Amino acid sequence: MQSLDRRFFLRSGAIGLAAAAVPFAPLFAAGKIKTGASSALIVVDVQNCFVPGGTLPVGKGDEVVPIVNRLAQSFENVVVTQDWHTPGHASFASAHAGKKPFEMTKLAYGQQVLWPDHCVQGTDDAALHKDLKLPHAQLILRKGYHKNMDSYSAFEEADHKSSTGLAGYLKQRGIKTVFVTGLATDFCVAWTAMDARKLGFDTYVIEDATRAIDLNGSLAAAWKQMSAKGVKRIQSADILG
Ligand code: VGL
Ligand code: ZN
């Protein structure tokens, strides 16, 4: 009896304290941008290959992990992507005699940046970052698995014809708005966001939940192209408050 009373007292005390604290607690203020059943968080390529220590490291790429983890708690729909290349993939400089990483070449579908070998299927390098905490993620989508074609975008491969199926998946699940995060801002995040727009989704990039490669001004160019296509640039605080 005594312990029940005591519990009741503690509980009502806690409620009273929370209520009293509300007007002085901006930490609990609601974010400005709402997420709901028709929104999805897309977490692009947060893999070992793209963080320091990986084969194609994006500067400070690992810093997105805690931000993505926090954001994910505001989403009921979460989709994760993995860059997932064959050994000897056409986007690797090593597959082209005389070419070095970060040079350009022409492939069947157009110009291609040549990269160091990265994110090879089944390797530890291609695994998702170990500190990502996305237990409720519903789909892990792999891309870039055709040996002769790259796929920065999670929606469409580099020929702009071959679909990954992601738009169909999202539309069949009633998703209308996507929030794109991850690596790298100026390649896979930007291409994913621009294709999302093109395919009819209301599209946001959460800037502080991305990091860039920034190759010859590619980051500024990517933001310019994204904004011209109607992709909205926001910060995690716009959602988290
Ligand atoms: C990416 C270059 C090559 C990316 C993937 O995830 O942004 N960049 N492959
Ligand atoms: Zn790649």
Side-chain angles (χ1 to χ4, degrees), residues 45 50 56 83 85 115 118 143 150 152 183-184 187-188 213:
D45 298 1
F50 296 120
L56 177 42
D83 209 38
H85 297 310
W115 303 105
H118 65 280
K143 62 183 178 63
D150 209 354
Y152 295 150
L183 306 170
F187 289 91
C188 292
I213 294 174

